[in-house]
Amino acid sequence: MLDLIKYLVEQFAEDRSNIEYKVEETDDAVNVTVLLSDSDMGKVIGKQGKIAKAMRTLVRAATPRDSKKYNVEIKEHGGEQA
């Protein structure tokens, strides 16, 4: 599933070398935090968050029923949430 998230993010980001992925696994979920540069935040999130919402929907749809839930969070390298 992480490969799908990486593929989707890299389609919109221009500075691909400056992308970090942090994965935290709990009992019932996998939290994936995508850290981007400031210049790529708007491109990956999209107007009114439409691209980010579509990305989360695709990840949710691709996750098998009996596996852990994937949560995708997009943040700037500075630490501000988006």
Side-chain angles (χ1 to χ4, degrees):
M1 193 59 58
L2 187 58
D3 291 335
L4 174 64
I5 295 169
K6 287 181 179 180
Y7 175 78
L8 292 171
V9 169
E10 290 175 3
Q11 294 305 305
F12 297 101
E14 290 183 4
D15 188 11
R16 292 180 181 98
S17 62
N18 203 14
I19 302 172
E20 290 182 41
Y21 301 92
K22 293 186 179 180
V23 180
E24 296 176 13
E25 198 165 335
T26 61
D27 291 337
D28 58 344
V30 177
N31 299 315
V32 179
T33 304
V34 181
L35 297 169
L36 300 167
S37 64
D38 184 39
S39 61
D40 284 336
M41 287 295 292
K43 295 174 186 111
V44 174
I45 293 174
K47 288 186 178 181
Q48 298 177 352
K50 288 183 180 183
I51 294 174
K53 184 177 179 181
M55 186 183 325
R56 291 182 182 112
T57 302
L58 282 171
V59 169
R60 193 175 314 119
T63 304
R65 285 183 192 238
D66 57 344
S67 70
K68 295 182 178 185
K69 180 181 174 184
Y70 277 78
N71 298 316
V72 180
E73 191 173 352
I74 302 170
K75 291 187 176 181
E76 188 178 334
H77 270 291
E80 296 178 22
Q81 186 176 1

